[in-house]
Amino acid sequence: KFYTQFSGMPVGGFGKVYDAETGFRYSPSKHFTITAGYRHLSAKVQRQNSDGTFKNSGVFIGIRSDF
């Protein structure tokens, strides 16, 4: 299954945070999922005369087990 997710939110009056993810999920059973994709996280905060930024992005692989 192919998926895409995007979310964002303001950080009070100080800035914004964005998160975007896209990838593939494979579930061989209802209790086990393998995920592979690409994710980008970005945050920018401003306070008076100083700015702070954070960006992180890259490929990931995940395994999930529900019981």
Side-chain angles (χ1 to χ4, degrees):
K1 182 194 276 191
F2 176 76
Y3 73 95
T4 299
Q5 295 175 212
F6 178 81
S7 61
M9 66 181 234
V11 182
F14 299 108
K16 297 177 177 120
V17 176
Y18 295 104
D19 183 19
E21 182 177 318
T22 188
F24 293 93
R25 288 189 182 127
Y26 172 64
S27 298
S29 72
K30 73 178 199 177
H31 298 291
F32 187 74
T33 304
I34 299 170
T35 306
Y38 183 84
R39 186 172 191 180
H40 177 79
L41 176 63
S42 176
K44 183 170 185 179
V45 178
Q46 299 172 340
R47 184 173 174 205
Q48 295 175 352
N49 292 332
S50 64
D51 293 341
T53 58
F54 172 80
K55 291 184 180 182
N56 191 11
S57 59
V59 177
F60 69 91
I61 296 174
I63 298 173
R64 177 178 168 163
S65 177
D66 299 317
F67 52 93

